[in-house]
């Protein structure tokens, strides 16, 4: 099954002994926010040193040590779920049932939840806002709208309607790639479709509905200001090089961006910001490759890749010494929290743009 494939609080610095603990125990690579207490920006060719987090929330839970590190999914800066789903690299069985935990305080404390089908061939966790969904092959899906107190069972392979609806009011149909609206039960294609050769993504961004795609290496976009009843082509300036996939990404402060992934999916992306029209954003000095790119507000896009982590700002690429590295995948939660996910850890950046605090979160067994 495909993963989907995202707190402004008074943060107390942990005591030195806790901060020194090894936190590299949270894994599962998939799937912004920017500068957390920004630290010095470095533009020299040498990679800057990696800063330490402001706080480490390492919590011990009642899980036998034979379990592998959990997959952790944050809903926002406060709420998250953790699923221990494998033991010694193998799916859980009767001697190793899946274990589920929840936090409501940003990972400072975790409470166990009853897993509705703890023994299955494969376990997955999805946590869109207001919803907790567990996949347990071959038994189907289990969805909760009350933070895991009760679950509704949806047999079969197809994604349950509640999970489809959580992807947003406007989506692309899987069969035809047409723009559709979720009516509470199913996706209904809009009578009016954007006049584009291809649509890769459609997203709401404030009062705008934006559809975008790439064909033959060229980017295209269309806008609707009346929820898809009518569309208008919105010219996208040609970038350097070709674009394979064009994604619409909102950012804090009402910003709307287009991220143009290269055909090989690893080259540094083309970037546009909407300011009444699409403006090509240069990134002078950028590296050749990237792993993830996330608009983080204040006219900035954060990027990770083999070269490390940097920010595109004012037409140039600047390396930064955030406490994340090439292996991290960046993405934004709905509340603006920036998540950096790596195979062995998860790091949050919380707070206002320009004054973020970095928090490493991990659960370890007994």
């Amino acid at each position: 099954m495909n993963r989907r494939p995202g707190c402004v609080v008074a943060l107390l610095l942990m005591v030195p002994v806790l901060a020194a603990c090894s936190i590299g125990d949270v894994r599962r690579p998939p799937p912004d926010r920017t500068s957390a207490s920004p630290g010095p920006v470095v533009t020299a060719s040498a990679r800057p040193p990696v800063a330490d987090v402001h706080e480490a929330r390492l919590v011990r839970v009642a899980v036998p040590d034979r379990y592998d590190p959990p997959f952790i999914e944050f809903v926002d800066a406060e709420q998250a779920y953790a699923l221990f789903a494998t033991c010694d690299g193998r799916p859980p069985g009767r001697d190793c049932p899946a274990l589920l935990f929840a936090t409501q305080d940003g990972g400072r404390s975790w409470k166990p939840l009853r897993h509705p089908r703890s023994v299955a061939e494969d376990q997955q966790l999805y946590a869109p806002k207001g919803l907790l969904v567990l996949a347990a092959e071959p038994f189907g899906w289990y969805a909760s709208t009350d933070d895991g107190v009760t679950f509704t069972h949806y047999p079969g392979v197809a994604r349950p309607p509640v999970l489809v609806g959580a992807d947003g009011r406007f989506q692309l149909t899987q069969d035809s790639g047409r723009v559709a609206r979720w009516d509470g039960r199913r996706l209904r294609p809009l009578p009016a479709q954007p006049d584009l050769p291809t649509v890769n993504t459609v997203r709401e961004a404030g009062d705008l509905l934006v559809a975008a795609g790439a064909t033959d290496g060229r980017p295209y976009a269309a806008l609707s200001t009346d929820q898809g009843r009518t569309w208008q082509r919105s010219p996208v300036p040609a970038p350097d090089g070709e674009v394979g996939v064009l994604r619409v990404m909102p950012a804090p402060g009402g910003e709307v961006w287009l991220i143009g992934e290269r055909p090989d999916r690893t080259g540094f992306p083309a970037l546009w910001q909407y300011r009444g029209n699409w403006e090509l954003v240069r990134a002078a000095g950028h590296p050749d490759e990237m792993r993830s790119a996330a608009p983080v507000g204040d006219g900035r896009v954060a990027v990770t890749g083999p070269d490390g982590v940097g920010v595109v700002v004012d037409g140039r690429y600047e390396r930064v010494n955030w406490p994340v590295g090439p292996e991290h995948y960046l993405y934004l939660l709905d509340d603006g929290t920036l998540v950096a996910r790596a195979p062995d850890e998860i790091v949050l950046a919380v707070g206002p743009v320009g004054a973020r605090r970095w928090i490493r979160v991990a659960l370890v067994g007994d």
Side-chain angles (χ1 to χ4, degrees):
M1 295 183 182
N2 294 328
R3 291 204 51 78
R4 195 174 58 86
C7 67
V8 180
V9 294
L11 301 177
L12 300 178
L13 293 176
M14 305 295 282
V15 293
V17 64
L18 177 57
C21 293
S22 172
I23 313 293
D25 257 350
V26 180
R27 64 162 100 163
R28 192 122 145 218
D32 183 310
R33 243 142 145 149
T34 186
S35 60
S37 324
V41 172
V42 181
T43 57
S45 58
R47 182 178 298 176
V50 175
D52 198 2
V53 294
H54 295 91
E55 181 180 354
R57 297 173 183 170
L58 174 64
V59 178
R60 190 168 298 279
V61 293
V63 174
D65 60 8
R66 67 178 182 274
Y67 280 82
D68 296 327
F71 173 71
I72 302 175
E73 184 85 338
F74 272 84
V75 180
D76 53 36
E78 294 281 356
Q79 185 180 22
Y81 299 95
L83 178 67
F84 289 84
T86 60
C87 291
D88 301 321
R90 59 180 175 80
R94 296 192 179 281
D95 62 332
C96 181
L99 302 175
L100 183 63
F101 291 83
T103 181
Q104 297 288 342
D105 57 10
R108 295 180 183 85
S109 64
W110 296 83
K111 69 174 184 179
L113 298 177
R114 183 188 67 84
H115 195 295
R117 179 69 70 166
S118 60
V119 178
E121 295 176 5
D122 183 47
Q123 302 276 3
Q124 300 289 337
L125 164 66
Y126 304 82
K129 188 173 181 61
L131 191 63
L132 169 61
V133 178
L134 303 172
E137 294 182 357
F139 304 103
W141 307 77
Y142 299 82
S144 174
T145 57
D146 55 11
D147 301 327
V149 176
T150 61
F151 287 88
T152 300
H153 183 209
Y154 296 89
V157 175
R159 298 170 72 211
V162 290
L163 189 54
V164 176
D167 285 341
R169 289 194 303 168
F170 296 94
Q171 304 176 37
L172 298 182
T173 58
Q174 292 186 350
D175 54 349
S176 64
R178 302 180 69 195
V179 178
R181 181 167 184 161
W182 177 253
D183 67 1
R185 295 183 301 174
R186 66 185 183 92
L187 289 173
R188 295 182 179 274
L190 299 179
Q193 292 289 313
D195 180 23
L196 300 177
T198 302
V199 179
N200 300 137
T201 56
V202 59
R203 292 287 299 274
E204 280 190 283
D207 295 331
L208 287 180
L209 181 61
V210 185
T215 300
D216 297 328
R218 298 179 57 188
Y220 299 90
L223 306 177
S224 175
T225 57
D226 54 13
Q227 299 189 341
R229 288 187 288 274
T230 61
W231 294 88
Q232 181 177 358
R233 275 277 192 111
S234 182
V236 182
D240 295 331
E242 295 187 342
V243 172
V245 174
L246 193 60
R247 304 195 183 280
V248 182
M249 290 190 180
E255 297 178 6
V256 187
W257 290 77
L258 296 178
I259 309 295
E261 296 181 3
R262 303 301 183 176
D264 65 0
R265 307 298 286 271
T266 64
F268 197 88
L271 304 171
W272 297 264
Q273 186 177 4
Y274 187 75
R275 298 187 178 99
N277 51 57
W278 295 109
E279 297 182 6
L280 182 65
V281 176
R282 303 293 181 180
H286 69 74
D288 292 334
E289 298 182 25
M290 71 100 187
R291 171 168 171 75
S292 66
V296 294
D298 199 25
R300 303 182 180 197
V301 176
V303 181
T304 60
D307 190 63
V309 59
V311 172
V312 177
V313 57
D314 295 332
R316 65 188 184 276
Y317 174 87
E318 299 179 343
R319 301 187 188 194
V320 292
N321 66 338
W322 293 354
V324 297
E327 71 282 5
H328 286 87
Y329 189 97
L330 302 176
Y331 61 98
L332 276 179
L333 301 179
D334 288 343
D335 69 344
T337 298
L338 176 62
V339 180
R341 185 185 299 282
D344 59 352
E345 71 171 6
I346 191 165
V347 182
L348 306 178
V350 302
V353 174
R356 296 180 185 275
R357 297 179 63 86
W358 293 88
I359 304 164
R360 181 173 287 115
V361 178
L363 290 81
V364 296
D366 289 336

